[in-house]
Amino acid sequence: MLALTQGLMSLGALAPFPVILSITPSGFDPATTSHPASYPASVAAGDLLLYMVTARAASGNADVTTPIGLTLLEQRDSGGQSTTPVSLYSRIADGSEGGTTVDFVTNINTFMAVQIWRIEAGTYGAVEFAWN
């Protein structure tokens, strides 16, 4: 145990582990083209916001428009009979988001589920994403 402790201490300063402050879900049923997902009640400037979005149209292909101010990190189609795009977006908060909504607009009536993850400022590094 002593060797392990000394070994960890000799690594120097480690990057902080991301602190998840909240996960705010929103769901939309019946299907519609406007999906105003709720932000957490409180958001501080510098927080990392991650948006996990899945959309399912009753028929046809649902295209989700990236909301202004968000960066699309990845989008995948589930490959099923009716396509279900799964998307991941990010934004560094400016502090004005708390208690408001962000609208994920689709080209056709679509069922949708959104989760907004709030990661504490100063506890994350560069926003990188790898989808396997």
Side-chain angles (χ1 to χ4, degrees):
M1 183 66 155
L2 179 60
L4 177 60
T5 303
Q6 289 175 337
L8 288 174
M9 292 174 68
S10 68
L11 291 175
L14 297 175
F17 194 80
V19 175
I20 300 169
L21 296 173
S22 65
I23 301 171
T24 306
S26 297
F28 302 92
D29 182 8
T32 182
T33 58
S34 176
H35 310 88
S38 297
Y39 276 105
S42 175
V43 177
D47 286 349
L48 171 63
L49 300 171
L50 295 176
Y51 308 76
M52 296 168 202
V53 178
T54 184
R56 183 178 183 278
S59 63
N61 296 329
D63 294 321
V64 181
T65 301
T66 301
I68 294 172
L70 273 57
T71 299
L72 177 63
L73 298 175
E74 186 71 33
Q75 186 172 52
R76 294 285 175 103
D77 182 357
S78 68
Q81 280 186 299
S82 89
T83 60
T84 305
V86 177
S87 308
L88 179 65
Y89 302 86
S90 70
R91 171 185 172 92
I92 304 301
D94 61 20
S96 68
E97 298 87 354
T100 65
T101 61
V102 56
D103 196 9
F104 291 90
V105 176
T106 54
N107 60 323
I108 58 177
N109 285 340
T110 305
F111 302 99
M112 185 176 285
V114 178
Q115 287 186 342
I116 300 177
W117 289 48
R118 179 181 169 217
I119 313 298
E120 184 176 19
T123 68
Y124 60 88
V127 178
E128 298 177 21
F129 181 73
W131 194 303
N132 293 324

